[in-house]
Amino acid sequence: MALLGDANAAGRLNDYLGKAEPAELVAGANRFGPLQGDPAIAPAYKDDRLLGFVYLNSEFANSTGYSGKPIQLLVGIDPKGVLTGLKLVEHKEPIVLLGIPEKRVLEAINKLIGADMDSVVRGAAPSPQVDIVSGATVTVLVMGDSIVRSATKLIKSGRLGAQGNAVATAVPQVSKAIDPGKSEVRDWQSLVGDGSVRRLILSVADVNRAFEKSGNAAAAARPEEGDPDDTFIDLYVADVAVPTIGRSLLGDDGYNRLAGRLKPSQQALIVAGSGRYSFKGAAYVRGGIFDRIELIQDANSIRFRDRDHTRLGNLSAEGAPDFPEIALFTVPPEFGLDPTEPWLLQLLVQRVVATRDKAWLTFDLGYTLPDAYVKRESAPPVRQQATTSPAASPEAPAPAKRDAAASFATEDEPLWMKIWRGNVVKISTTIVALGALTLIFFFQNALVRRPKVYVWVRRGYLLFILVWLGWYANAQLSVVNVLTFANSLLTDFSWEYFLSSPLIFLLWASIAAGLLFWGRGPFCGWLCPFGALQELLNNIAQAVKIPQYRLPWGLHERLWPIKYIIFLGLFGMSLYSTAFAEQLAEVEPFKTAIVLKFAREWPFVIYALTVLSAGLFVERFFCRYMCPLGAALAIPGRIRMFEWLRRWPECGTPCQRCAKECPVQAIHPEGHINVNECIYCMHCQELYFDDHRCPHMIQVRLKREKRDALSSPSMRSGGKGPNTIITAGGKPIGLKPVDAITPSAT
């Protein structure tokens, strides 16, 4: 089994080692030697002289970012433990792929080069920090922490640095575990007093002094305002998977519910805070990740996501303060938190120093479980072998125990299943929204017969799609998805790649089904966040009397093909270079306006605002003439099996009302609807049933009223009673009260 593990580890490093030259990672090196140990490291030589080593960060420490996939970096380090080079070889981070220049991210993490990690391990120097990149804070922090902690673990393993001179010792092995027999309920003061609940309190003065000592002049020049003695944050943390602590803080019912959710050996933490600084921040609302706190144990670190979080209103322990923020976090099982060993909760404190720049510091809240909750069992001592420094024997293998992060990478369960299980709330919300839209479509006739209800249902749905699906969940489809799917069909198609984004997958599955029933309309008219933004802005424009322009039909018809030309150009380019085609796909302003919420370089923002501004005067300007995704969906949309939009024989000849009122001018002058351009807004169907606006329905109403008049009791009684029939030329033309009829009127 050990040999198999070595082969797997070597295979992972080998997959990426060919993407870098030795000199990129270790200055002066011209070749790599045979891989050593597990996790594998590759010695880097200049001819026969060892200059350093190269390893893969994810093999030693957690490196999972926003995407849920590891950020793979090759790290160079010399035999003394100094970082010599870094290279980003693979990532799936959407914030970098879609907008933040990779160069900015690399500039931030490259500041770690030259850091003496051996001094950090010995406690002689603080851990080096990376600069925050606005818009990609979590991604950069994950990368920086992964580099620092992986180097720390490698040095602690004795495979290089001063730690490599360890001597043989007989280490007694002690098995430690939480004692399940201790589950008494205790009050708040006793929990805090013995360390069951740990505390970090910072005043305004503490934080200001820390930024002054950091050497960042811009941050020091913008101190926190207010009384220096005011509480900046009062933070508490506790492991509530421990029976006594859990029952005391959550109550018996709360603890029992938690215990029923936790897997064997899984831990859960209570984090509570007060003061002017929130430990939650706002990033978990936008991106589902708590970026102000980080759980750290040994070389592993993790930031909690919204799927790990439960909000609590109060703590059950007698005497517990009222906290404005209380969070219950379940620690993901793959992290492998050992509650019997020390760990810490690291607080990130940010300070804005410029419009798009932030400075930050970290403060550690250490936690060690009191001995009263731990039971120990002795085991026979094990001889720990002396470790030879790789500098002296570079070719000798040096096995090391794999950590929890590495084990996580080799679990049999596919990654996409973990992602789906971790996004149950978002997936459920999306399914409900799609189900609601399906009901709207199937019962459209009942809806459009009530114009006021129809208008508010449509606007409400579009607002939900824009705010929740677009700006919050970032589930904006793109023509890039179409190009990627087509390219994968031509190469090595794998469902796992597409299943790794649950909301995107659900939307595409629903759109594929919708194409058979309604064409491109369900997406373009209802499910596209950018389309919703255009329409809602145009609604506001009309409300404030901004003039609206309808292009002449001849010009309008000749502008339609532009989007098809753009799509075919992108598709053809993708067959040559998918990466270049994705760059050209910036013709879509979706990334700027929806995914990045306009937090992007000014040319992209100006382009997006220009397109939206055009839509204030010409409704859905981009959808009509420029959208390559709309063109891509219109092509297979021709195969739809049903015709749901009703037309009268008079439509187009002579009546032109629907054609003139169609928001996107998808109705030809002769009356038929062009399904390639129709966004299925149902406005024409609202007119279809309106017996006060549709000429056909007006005639139907008048005939009905005439028939009702002729069949009234007054007509059948021959004019007797309170009313009589008024005639002209022998034909009844209406009713009039008897008292009002004069002899001349008859």
Side-chain angles (χ1 to χ4, degrees), residues 245 297 363 429 437 481 557 577 628 700:
I245 303 174
Q297 187 174 59
F363 297 87
T429 304
L437 183 60
N481 303 128
E557 193 175 28
S577 171
V700 171

Side-chain angles (χ1 to χ4, degrees), residues 332-601:
E334 59 269 14
F335 181 77
L337 177 66
D338 185 349
T340 65
E341 296 295 331
W343 50 268
L344 62 87
L345 190 74
Q346 191 172 77
L347 174 70
L348 176 78
V349 176
Q350 299 177 344
R351 176 172 288 180
V352 177
V353 298
T355 304
R356 295 175 60 85
D357 295 327
K358 296 178 183 177
W360 59 280
L361 293 175
T362 57
F363 297 87
D364 293 345
L365 173 52
Y367 190 95
T368 301
L369 191 66
D371 287 341
Y373 304 124
V374 179
K375 65 176 182 179
R376 291 174 168 82
E377 295 181 358
S378 299
V382 177
R383 174 67 61 178
Q384 181 180 8
Q385 298 297 326
T387 308
T388 304
S389 171
S393 180
E395 304 294 345
K401 185 179 179 180
R402 300 176 62 80
D403 66 357
S407 299
F408 173 55
T410 60
E411 286 184 4
D412 292 335
E413 186 180 38
L415 179 61
W416 68 267
M417 294 180 67
K418 299 188 182 76
I419 295 173
W420 280 67
R421 191 168 55 248
N423 287 276
V424 173
V425 174
K426 288 183 178 180
I427 292 170
S428 301
T429 304
T430 303
I431 291 174
V432 170
L434 293 173
L437 183 60
T438 303
L439 292 176
I440 289 173
F441 278 15
F442 274 104
F443 297 99
Q444 64 183 44
N445 292 342
L447 178 63
V448 296
R449 288 176 187 269
R450 298 164 177 81
K452 291 184 179 179
V453 176
Y454 152 76
V455 168
W456 287 109
V457 166
R458 177 161 175 78
R459 288 177 180 173
Y461 196 90
L462 291 180
L463 186 62
F464 169 80
I465 291 298
L466 172 62
V467 176
W468 188 86
L469 193 67
W471 285 336
Y472 172 68
N474 287 339
Q476 169 70 65
L477 302 187
S478 166
V479 71
V480 172
N481 303 128
V482 178
L483 302 180
T484 303
F485 182 77
N487 184 263
S488 67
L489 289 176
L490 299 174
T491 54
D492 50 345
F493 180 83
S494 172
W495 279 112
E496 289 194 13
Y497 176 81
F498 300 98
L499 287 167
S500 64
S501 298
L503 301 192
I504 299 295
F505 181 84
L506 287 174
L507 287 174
W508 276 116
S510 63
I511 289 167
L515 287 173
L516 298 175
F517 287 83
W518 301 284
R520 61 176 277 209
F523 173 73
C524 295
W526 295 82
L527 292 173
C528 177
F530 188 78
L533 177 59
Q534 289 183 93
E535 183 165 328
L536 293 172
L537 287 176
N538 185 265
N539 291 159
I540 296 172
Q542 293 184 45
V544 298
K545 307 302 182 182
I546 292 178
Q548 301 295 300
Y549 297 97
R550 294 181 68 83
L551 276 62
W553 178 260
L555 175 61
H556 171 67
E557 193 175 28
R558 283 162 178 77
L559 292 178
W560 272 346
I562 293 177
K563 60 180 173 288
Y564 296 95
I565 295 171
I566 294 174
F567 169 68
L568 292 175
L570 292 173
F571 183 77
M573 182 55 66
S574 71
L575 299 177
Y576 170 73
S577 171
T578 304
F580 186 54
E582 291 178 3
Q583 294 178 3
L584 295 178
E586 289 291 350
V587 69
E588 294 177 328
F590 304 164
K591 306 176 186 68
T592 302
I594 303 300
V595 178
L596 298 176
K597 307 172 190 66
F598 297 99
R600 206 174 182 190
E601 291 80 1

Side-chain angles (χ1 to χ4, degrees), residues 266-294:
Q266 186 180 7
Q267 303 302 305
L269 309 181
I270 283 283
V271 182
S274 61
R276 64 172 64 183
Y277 190 73
S278 166
F279 71 83
K280 289 185 176 181
Y284 79 99
V285 177
R286 300 189 304 270
I289 192 167
F290 293 82
D291 64 346
R292 292 187 176 183
I293 53 174
E294 182 176 12

